[in-house]
Amino acid sequence: MTDNSLPATKMSARDVHVYYGATHAIKGVSIDVDQENVTAFIGPSGCGKSTFLRTLNRMNDTIPIARVEGDITLDGENIYSPAMDVVQLRARVGMVFQKPNPFPKSIYENVAYGPRIHGLAPVKSDMDRVVEQSLRRAGLWEEVKDRLHDSGTALSGGQQQRLCIARAIAVDPEVILMDEPCSALDPIATAKIEELIHELRGRYAIVIVTHNMQQAARVSQRTAFFHLGHLVEYGVTSDIFTNPRQERTKDYITGRYG
Amino acid sequence: MSSTLVPEVPVTNGREPAERAPTDWKTHAMQSRIRKRYAAERRFRLLGLGAVALSAAFLVFLLGTMLINGAGGFVRTEIALPLDFPALSLDVEREQLAQRGADLALAGAGLQNAVGVAAVSAFGDEGEDYLADNAWLTVREAIKDDPSILDRRVTIAVPASSRIHLAATDDAEPAIEAAAARLNAAGALTRGFNWSFLTGSDSTDPTSAGIWGALKGSLLTMAVTLALAFPIGVLSAIYLEEYAPKNRWTDLIEVSINNLAAVPSIIFGLLGLAVFLGTFNMPRSAPIVGGLTLALMIMPVIVIAGRNAIKAVPPSIRDAALGVGASRVQVVFHHVLPLALPGILTGTIIGMARALGETAPLLMIGMRAFIGSAPEDLASPATVLPVQIFLWSDQVSSGFVEKTSAAIIVLLVFLLAMNALAIYLRNRFETRW
Ligand SMILES: Nc1ncnc2c1ncn2[C@@H]1O[C@H](COP(=O)(O)OP(=O)(O)O)[C@@H](O)[C@H]1O
Ligand SMILES: [Mg+2]
């Protein structure tokens, strides 16, 4: 593949609308998320970043009043078609949440849970390998290898969030969605997560929601700016930050509102 | 008022108030505020302590009375009865005693009469009244153990009658008191732990009345109640919390369940009477019917406790599990239920404790009959501890007073054991975050 060819599209949304009862939260968003890059969703709070992110692995299904219209595909397959199994979809499109939410179980169990329910590592030695590999990729192995059987909730906030990333990685997803993964963390823990995102780039398609524009500039190659439920502008991150085409994007980036 | 904290500052010009004067933390007003605050703290602590002390005193008083009254129920008085078998000339064949029909043969030979005669010859005309009604059964067992005593004079310790027992332990009528004193002086009276209280069933004679029948009835009834109410209650709670859509129908169900939990228990008894006995023709006085009725009664309690416990599980845990591709059933059984279990168990045990102490609904389904033997299965006639207490407390014969207290002690021990189990389970399953 040459440099000037378009990167392979992993997920693609066409004219997506999301309603919470009568609230129209996402208004006709179309976007392509590609395989090699980290895509950042930015925008003022309440503009629908989380809502749109959650349509990508159908986490909105758990909200009774939420209704999704439009087409979203993963590798060309419509994820809202009846043929799509939502459980498998969520294994293929993993998620990391705003607040670290490890299970109140051991570190090992946190990571092993996903592979176990999907039958990915039936033998104990396989499972040990999966756990170690996932923790290594999440940059947590060295810190926890001697206390794998301590509770995951006893870790620091930043470690907990990396444990949640390891948990997502353990089921071997194709896409990882992160919803403001650093908003509950201190700057040092944030830096570690950002570094980790760099390392994971390429292996997984990554979509990260952030309200921190510097963070978007640091970790992403593509940026989408949302405002009041609309996708205002989407493009290469450096272009968005240095040369926005839309007035609203410019206003947001220059801090006129937020 | 001079006690304002911030000295009044005159507004210097029409637009802006003057600078606030610095707060003086040492003023008189400030000091008295501190004193008031301390006094309020002290008052509240004393009130709380008083409340706790008062309830503790009530508890101690209650338990103390029960223990003092009931201790006698666990003790029995025995009389050493001299029996001169050759003189009594019982008409039994020795071979018969080794066989199955030994009981019948001895009864046929007039053993009961003979024991009475022996008592009269040993203790005088009143002698027969000194022995418990079932004293001859003790003699019968002794003969069966060792038939050779039929050729000798022996002395056997048999249960004393309730009146002698009371006279020996407590105050009684002067005549019987004197008799007891005489027997005691002759060294004929002994006291021992009344095992038959723990192994026997109800009886018209307080000396031989036991609690085992009622205890077993309670155990069987509770088993039925738990086996029905726990799974059904927990499944309903899970369904209502995790699966049911939130609409008018589920609201209606929720209101109904809350109301059911508050319905007086006797109504459930009437329901049990009408449905289980009336419509389904189930056996009267049976633990299965009692268990069904009590299960209906405590199911709402378990559903409510279960829903609250499930609601208290943080949504972030559900998200986490769904996010790695757990199905809804897996989310419930791997994550929500384990976290909610301590709360569910506590609610269940509270419900079970309520069921254990329940009398009224069981009276309605016929568990108030006199049952002289322990129930063999779920369908045989039975009574339960609280009903037994109710029945005994109603007896005129004074020997039942201490039996009543003793039965209450057994019930309380049962309850304490259940609560201890609840605490154990709670700690066992509590998740440390
Ligand atoms: N569960 C929900 N029920 C109802 N409305 C919701 C829910 N979640 C989000 N919304 C609404 O949808 C809009 C977008 O919210 P969200 O996606 O959380 O924004 P963001 O993540 O960009 O801050 C907001 O107006 C919010 O009030
Ligand atoms: Mg958000």
Side-chain angles (χ1 to χ4, degrees), chain A residues 221-249:
Chain A
Q221 291 72 47
R222 298 284 180 278
T223 295
F225 171 59
F226 285 78
H227 186 227
L228 298 176
H230 295 284
L231 175 59
V232 176
E233 191 165 347
Y234 177 45
V236 174
T237 299
S238 52
D239 291 350
I240 297 269
F241 281 98
T242 54
N243 190 16
R245 272 165 298 160
Q246 302 285 332
E247 204 57 31
R248 280 191 285 172
T249 318

Side-chain angles (χ1 to χ4, degrees), chain B residues 10-50:
Chain B
V11 177
T12 46
N13 58 37
R15 272 173 291 145
E16 225 173 74
E19 274 296 303
R20 262 173 75 171
T23 306
D24 182 3
W25 296 99
K26 298 248 181 294
T27 57
H28 178 71
M30 215 37 119
Q31 296 302 324
S32 84
R33 177 176 298 264
I34 290 174
R35 271 196 304 280
K36 265 197 205 141
R37 204 173 67 219
Y38 285 164
E41 296 262 347
R42 242 188 336 267
R43 241 187 346 261
F44 183 75
R45 264 220 310 271
L46 280 176
L47 270 176
L49 197 65

Side-chain angles (χ1 to χ4, degrees), chain A residues 54 59 62 87 90-91 93-95 97 101-105 113-114 117-118 151 153 167 171, chain B residues 246 316-328 330-331 334-335 338-339 431-433:
Chain A
R54 292 164 63 94
M59 281 298 279
T62 60
V87 161
R90 293 198 191 121
V93 183
M95 191 153 201
F97 298 84
N101 57 354
F103 301 128
K105 299 176 191 245
Y113 180 69
I117 58 174
H118 295 294
S151 174
T153 50
R167 182 175 66 190
V171 286
Chain B
K246 301 276 174 278
S316 65
I317 294 300
R318 293 186 177 84
D319 282 347
L322 288 170
V324 292
S327 68
R328 283 171 84 180
Q330 286 170 332
V331 172
H334 295 168
H335 301 283
L339 291 175
T431 306
R432 312 225 185 284
W433 289 84

Side-chain angles (χ1 to χ4, degrees), chain A residues 94-115:
Chain A
M95 191 153 201
V96 176
F97 298 84
Q98 190 163 352
K99 222 175 114 243
N101 57 354
F103 301 128
K105 299 176 191 245
S106 71
I107 293 168
Y108 185 97
E109 275 306 309
N110 263 282
V111 181
Y113 180 69

Side-chain angles (χ1 to χ4, degrees), chain A residues 146-173:
Chain A
D146 300 322
R147 47 175 177 145
L148 288 177
H149 296 284
D150 289 4
S151 174
T153 50
L155 296 173
S156 75
Q159 289 174 322
Q160 287 189 15
Q161 196 61 299
R162 278 180 283 149
L163 178 61
C164 293
I165 293 173
R167 182 175 66 190
I169 290 174
V171 286
D172 196 24

